[in-house]
PDB file of all heavy atoms in Angstrom:
ATOM      1  N   ARG A 100     -10.327   1.454   8.892  1.00 98.00           N
ATOM      2  CA  ARG A 100     -10.646   2.674   8.114  1.00 98.00           C
ATOM      3  C   ARG A 100      -9.352   3.290   7.612  1.00 98.00           C
ATOM      4  O   ARG A 100      -9.259   3.648   6.427  1.00 98.00           O
ATOM      5  CB  ARG A 100     -11.372   3.641   9.062  1.00 98.00           C
ATOM      6  CG  ARG A 100     -12.081   4.809   8.366  1.00 98.00           C
ATOM      7  CD  ARG A 100     -11.423   6.180   8.428  1.00 98.00           C
ATOM      8  NE  ARG A 100     -10.831   6.398   9.777  1.00 98.00           N
ATOM      9  CZ  ARG A 100      -9.698   6.981   9.964  1.00 98.00           C
ATOM     10  NH1 ARG A 100      -8.922   7.340   8.905  1.00 98.00           N
ATOM     11  NH2 ARG A 100      -9.256   7.238  11.152  1.00 98.00           N
ATOM     12  N   ARG A 101      -8.354   3.245   8.444  1.00 98.00           N
ATOM     13  CA  ARG A 101      -7.051   3.783   8.056  1.00 98.00           C
ATOM     14  C   ARG A 101      -6.437   2.997   6.873  1.00 98.00           C
ATOM     15  O   ARG A 101      -5.832   3.454   5.880  1.00 98.00           O
ATOM     16  CB  ARG A 101      -6.155   3.825   9.205  1.00 98.00           C
ATOM     17  CG  ARG A 101      -4.944   4.770   9.053  1.00 98.00           C
ATOM     18  CD  ARG A 101      -4.235   4.970  10.395  1.00 98.00           C
ATOM     19  NE  ARG A 101      -5.133   5.669  11.344  1.00 98.00           N
ATOM     20  CZ  ARG A 101      -5.280   5.259  12.615  1.00 98.00           C
ATOM     21  NH1 ARG A 101      -4.707   4.127  13.111  1.00 98.00           N
ATOM     22  NH2 ARG A 101      -6.151   5.882  13.387  1.00 98.00           N
ATOM     23  N   LEU A 104      -8.272   3.927   3.789  1.00 98.00           N
ATOM     24  CA  LEU A 104      -7.807   5.310   3.323  1.00 98.00           C
ATOM     25  C   LEU A 104      -6.458   5.094   2.600  1.00 98.00           C
ATOM     26  O   LEU A 104      -6.314   5.585   1.435  1.00 98.00           O
ATOM     27  CB  LEU A 104      -7.608   6.211   4.514  1.00 98.00           C
ATOM     28  CG  LEU A 104      -7.000   7.543   4.260  1.00 98.00           C
ATOM     29  CD1 LEU A 104      -7.873   8.366   3.302  1.00 98.00           C
ATOM     30  CD2 LEU A 104      -6.758   8.296   5.600  1.00 98.00           C
ATOM     31  N   ILE A 108      -5.552   5.738  -1.390  1.00 98.00           N
ATOM     32  CA  ILE A 108      -4.460   6.613  -1.811  1.00 98.00           C
ATOM     33  C   ILE A 108      -3.613   5.937  -2.811  1.00 98.00           C
ATOM     34  O   ILE A 108      -3.221   6.510  -3.878  1.00 98.00           O
ATOM     35  CB  ILE A 108      -3.629   7.199  -0.611  1.00 98.00           C
ATOM     36  CG1 ILE A 108      -4.563   8.048   0.339  1.00 98.00           C
ATOM     37  CG2 ILE A 108      -2.395   8.016  -1.084  1.00 98.00           C
ATOM     38  CD1 ILE A 108      -3.852   8.542   1.644  1.00 98.00           C
ATOM     39  N   LYS A 138      -7.453  13.292  -4.662  1.00 98.00           N
ATOM     40  CA  LYS A 138      -7.724  12.184  -3.649  1.00 98.00           C
ATOM     41  C   LYS A 138      -6.485  11.849  -2.839  1.00 98.00           C
ATOM     42  O   LYS A 138      -6.501  11.672  -1.634  1.00 98.00           O
ATOM     43  CB  LYS A 138      -8.194  10.862  -4.355  1.00 98.00           C
ATOM     44  CG  LYS A 138      -9.533  11.047  -5.041  1.00 98.00           C
ATOM     45  CD  LYS A 138      -9.842   9.651  -5.727  1.00 98.00           C
ATOM     46  CE  LYS A 138     -10.841   9.818  -6.865  1.00 98.00           C
ATOM     47  NZ  LYS A 138     -12.172  10.072  -6.390  1.00 98.00           N
ATOM     48  N   ILE A 139      -5.327  11.830  -3.532  1.00 98.00           N
ATOM     49  CA  ILE A 139      -4.069  11.477  -2.799  1.00 98.00           C
ATOM     50  C   ILE A 139      -3.694  12.570  -1.836  1.00 98.00           C
ATOM     51  O   ILE A 139      -3.408  12.287  -0.677  1.00 98.00           O
ATOM     52  CB  ILE A 139      -2.953  11.329  -3.883  1.00 98.00           C
ATOM     53  CG1 ILE A 139      -3.205  10.150  -4.866  1.00 98.00           C
ATOM     54  CG2 ILE A 139      -1.639  11.133  -3.212  1.00 98.00           C
ATOM     55  CD1 ILE A 139      -2.497  10.115  -6.081  1.00 98.00           C
ATOM     56  N   LEU A 140      -3.819  13.797  -2.273  1.00 98.00           N
ATOM     57  CA  LEU A 140      -3.361  14.938  -1.417  1.00 98.00           C
ATOM     58  C   LEU A 140      -4.344  15.083  -0.259  1.00 98.00           C
ATOM     59  O   LEU A 140      -4.005  15.321   0.899  1.00 98.00           O
ATOM     60  CB  LEU A 140      -3.195  16.273  -2.213  1.00 98.00           C
ATOM     61  CG  LEU A 140      -2.197  16.174  -3.383  1.00 98.00           C
ATOM     62  CD1 LEU A 140      -2.133  17.447  -4.085  1.00 98.00           C
ATOM     63  CD2 LEU A 140      -0.793  15.823  -2.768  1.00 98.00           C
ATOM     64  N   GLY A 141      -5.702  14.854  -0.530  1.00 98.00           N
ATOM     65  CA  GLY A 141      -6.706  14.981   0.515  1.00 98.00           C
ATOM     66  C   GLY A 141      -6.436  13.766   1.528  1.00 98.00           C
ATOM     67  O   GLY A 141      -6.639  14.001   2.718  1.00 98.00           O
ATOM     68  N   GLY A 142      -6.139  12.602   1.033  1.00 98.00           N
ATOM     69  CA  GLY A 142      -5.870  11.489   1.914  1.00 98.00           C
ATOM     70  C   GLY A 142      -4.613  11.774   2.808  1.00 98.00           C
ATOM     71  O   GLY A 142      -4.612  11.487   4.012  1.00 98.00           O
ATOM     72  N   LEU A 143      -3.608  12.346   2.206  1.00 98.00           N
ATOM     73  CA  LEU A 143      -2.343  12.683   2.955  1.00 98.00           C
ATOM     74  C   LEU A 143      -2.759  13.672   3.963  1.00 98.00           C
ATOM     75  O   LEU A 143      -2.208  13.619   5.155  1.00 98.00           O
ATOM     76  CB  LEU A 143      -1.270  13.237   2.073  1.00 98.00           C
ATOM     77  CG  LEU A 143      -0.623  12.253   1.093  1.00 98.00           C
ATOM     78  CD1 LEU A 143       0.240  12.992   0.069  1.00 98.00           C
ATOM     79  CD2 LEU A 143       0.269  11.250   1.913  1.00 98.00           C
ATOM     80  N   ASP A 144      -3.566  14.664   3.719  1.00 98.00           N
ATOM     81  CA  ASP A 144      -3.961  15.658   4.726  1.00 98.00           C
ATOM     82  C   ASP A 144      -4.746  15.037   5.886  1.00 98.00           C
ATOM     83  O   ASP A 144      -4.539  15.400   7.004  1.00 98.00           O
ATOM     84  CB  ASP A 144      -4.844  16.740   4.069  1.00 98.00           C
ATOM     85  CG  ASP A 144      -4.034  17.664   3.169  1.00 98.00           C
ATOM     86  OD1 ASP A 144      -2.814  17.688   3.266  1.00 98.00           O
ATOM     87  OD2 ASP A 144      -4.644  18.255   2.307  1.00 98.00           O
ATOM     88  N   ALA A 145      -5.551  13.950   5.572  1.00 98.00           N
ATOM     89  CA  ALA A 145      -6.256  13.287   6.635  1.00 98.00           C
ATOM     90  C   ALA A 145      -5.286  12.560   7.500  1.00 98.00           C
ATOM     91  O   ALA A 145      -5.444  12.466   8.749  1.00 98.00           O
ATOM     92  CB  ALA A 145      -7.292  12.349   6.019  1.00 98.00           C
ATOM     93  N   LEU A 146      -4.235  11.970   6.849  1.00 98.00           N
ATOM     94  CA  LEU A 146      -3.183  11.235   7.695  1.00 98.00           C
ATOM     95  C   LEU A 146      -2.451  12.235   8.565  1.00 98.00           C
ATOM     96  O   LEU A 146      -2.221  11.982   9.723  1.00 98.00           O
ATOM     97  CB  LEU A 146      -2.281  10.450   6.801  1.00 98.00           C
ATOM     98  CG  LEU A 146      -2.863   9.359   5.913  1.00 98.00           C
ATOM     99  CD1 LEU A 146      -1.799   8.740   5.000  1.00 98.00           C
ATOM    100  CD2 LEU A 146      -3.348   8.234   6.911  1.00 98.00           C
ATOM    101  N   GLU A 147      -2.111  13.408   7.968  1.00 98.00           N
ATOM    102  CA  GLU A 147      -1.446  14.466   8.784  1.00 98.00           C
ATOM    103  C   GLU A 147      -2.301  14.846  10.011  1.00 98.00           C
ATOM    104  O   GLU A 147      -1.743  15.035  11.115  1.00 98.00           O
ATOM    105  CB  GLU A 147      -1.185  15.635   7.862  1.00 98.00           C
ATOM    106  CG  GLU A 147      -0.630  16.897   8.553  1.00 98.00           C
ATOM    107  CD  GLU A 147       0.786  16.755   9.013  1.00 98.00           C
ATOM    108  OE1 GLU A 147       1.457  15.778   8.674  1.00 98.00           O
ATOM    109  OE2 GLU A 147       1.257  17.670   9.766  1.00 98.00           O
ATOM    110  N   ALA A 148      -3.538  14.905   9.810  1.00 98.00           N
ATOM    111  CA  ALA A 148      -4.468  15.421  10.875  1.00 98.00           C
ATOM    112  C   ALA A 148      -4.530  14.405  12.045  1.00 98.00           C
ATOM    113  O   ALA A 148      -4.814  14.775  13.155  1.00 98.00           O
ATOM    114  CB  ALA A 148      -5.879  15.697  10.342  1.00 98.00           C
ATOM    115  N   GLU A 149      -4.331  13.040  11.656  1.00 98.00           N
ATOM    116  CA  GLU A 149      -4.538  12.119  12.788  1.00 98.00           C
ATOM    117  C   GLU A 149      -3.231  11.435  13.254  1.00 98.00           C
ATOM    118  O   GLU A 149      -3.334  10.662  14.193  1.00 98.00           O
ATOM    119  CB  GLU A 149      -5.486  11.073  12.248  1.00 98.00           C
ATOM    120  CG  GLU A 149      -5.006  10.186  11.143  1.00 98.00           C
ATOM    121  CD  GLU A 149      -6.025   9.126  10.778  1.00 98.00           C
ATOM    122  OE1 GLU A 149      -7.105   9.377  10.247  1.00 98.00           O
ATOM    123  OE2 GLU A 149      -5.680   7.963  10.989  1.00 98.00           O
ATOM    124  N   VAL A 150      -2.138  11.688  12.545  1.00 98.00           N
ATOM    125  CA  VAL A 150      -0.986  10.904  12.878  1.00 98.00           C
ATOM    126  C   VAL A 150      -0.476  10.959  14.313  1.00 98.00           C
ATOM    127  O   VAL A 150       0.010  10.003  14.865  1.00 98.00           O
ATOM    128  CB  VAL A 150       0.218  11.273  11.889  1.00 98.00           C
ATOM    129  CG1 VAL A 150       0.698  12.724  12.040  1.00 98.00           C
ATOM    130  CG2 VAL A 150       1.337  10.259  11.940  1.00 98.00           C
ATOM    131  N   THR A 151      -0.699  12.092  14.992  1.00 96.00           N
ATOM    132  CA  THR A 151      -0.270  12.199  16.382  1.00 96.00           C
ATOM    133  C   THR A 151      -1.126  11.366  17.344  1.00 96.00           C
ATOM    134  O   THR A 151      -0.846  11.205  18.538  1.00 96.00           O
ATOM    135  CB  THR A 151      -0.194  13.697  16.880  1.00 96.00           C
ATOM    136  OG1 THR A 151      -1.439  14.297  16.534  1.00 96.00           O
ATOM    137  CG2 THR A 151       0.971  14.416  16.162  1.00 96.00           C
ATOM    138  N   THR A 152      -2.252  10.936  16.794  1.00 96.00           N
ATOM    139  CA  THR A 152      -3.122  10.147  17.743  1.00 96.00           C
ATOM    140  C   THR A 152      -2.795   8.609  17.647  1.00 96.00           C
ATOM    141  O   THR A 152      -3.293   7.839  18.380  1.00 96.00           O
ATOM    142  CB  THR A 152      -4.652  10.311  17.336  1.00 96.00           C
ATOM    143  OG1 THR A 152      -4.874   9.617  16.046  1.00 96.00           O
ATOM    144  CG2 THR A 152      -4.985  11.751  17.285  1.00 96.00           C
ATOM    145  N   TRP A 153      -1.927   8.297  16.670  1.00 95.00           N
ATOM    146  CA  TRP A 153      -1.534   6.888  16.532  1.00 95.00           C
ATOM    147  C   TRP A 153      -0.670   6.410  17.726  1.00 95.00           C
ATOM    148  O   TRP A 153       0.218   7.102  18.044  1.00 95.00           O
ATOM    149  CB  TRP A 153      -0.814   6.623  15.239  1.00 95.00           C
ATOM    150  CG  TRP A 153      -1.562   6.966  14.005  1.00 95.00           C
ATOM    151  CD1 TRP A 153      -2.928   7.341  13.977  1.00 95.00           C
ATOM    152  CD2 TRP A 153      -1.115   7.069  12.659  1.00 95.00           C
ATOM    153  NE1 TRP A 153      -3.273   7.637  12.712  1.00 95.00           N
ATOM    154  CE2 TRP A 153      -2.171   7.473  11.825  1.00 95.00           C
ATOM    155  CE3 TRP A 153       0.101   6.837  12.065  1.00 95.00           C
ATOM    156  CZ2 TRP A 153      -2.045   7.653  10.480  1.00 95.00           C
ATOM    157  CZ3 TRP A 153       0.267   7.038  10.673  1.00 95.00           C
ATOM    158  CH2 TRP A 153      -0.802   7.415   9.934  1.00 95.00           C
ATOM    159  N   ARG A 184       3.109  18.932   5.748  1.00 98.00           N
ATOM    160  CA  ARG A 184       2.705  17.817   6.485  1.00 98.00           C
ATOM    161  C   ARG A 184       3.783  17.298   7.390  1.00 98.00           C
ATOM    162  O   ARG A 184       4.336  16.213   7.343  1.00 98.00           O
ATOM    163  CB  ARG A 184       2.277  16.652   5.521  1.00 98.00           C
ATOM    164  CG  ARG A 184       1.155  17.070   4.662  1.00 98.00           C
ATOM    165  CD  ARG A 184       0.573  15.900   3.814  1.00 98.00           C
ATOM    166  NE  ARG A 184      -0.350  16.435   2.902  1.00 98.00           N
ATOM    167  CZ  ARG A 184      -0.021  16.783   1.619  1.00 98.00           C
ATOM    168  NH1 ARG A 184       1.226  16.754   1.200  1.00 98.00           N
ATOM    169  NH2 ARG A 184      -0.946  17.220   0.833  1.00 98.00           N
ATOM    170  N   LEU A 187       3.328  13.989   9.628  1.00 98.00           N
ATOM    171  CA  LEU A 187       3.406  12.762   8.899  1.00 98.00           C
ATOM    172  C   LEU A 187       4.840  12.479   8.473  1.00 98.00           C
ATOM    173  O   LEU A 187       5.345  11.327   8.455  1.00 98.00           O
ATOM    174  CB  LEU A 187       2.467  12.817   7.698  1.00 98.00           C
ATOM    175  CG  LEU A 187       2.309  11.566   6.867  1.00 98.00           C
ATOM    176  CD1 LEU A 187       1.691  10.415   7.756  1.00 98.00           C
ATOM    177  CD2 LEU A 187       1.448  11.770   5.615  1.00 98.00           C
TER     178      LEU A 187
END
Side-chain angles (χ1 to χ4, degrees):
R100 197 255 318 140
R101 199 168 296 133
L104 173 63
I108 295 173
K138 295 178 200 289
I139 297 165
L140 300 180
L143 287 168
D144 289 341
L146 295 176
E147 171 72 8
E149 66 176 67
V150 65
T151 51
T152 68
W153 300 350
R184 300 186 189 91
L187 187 61

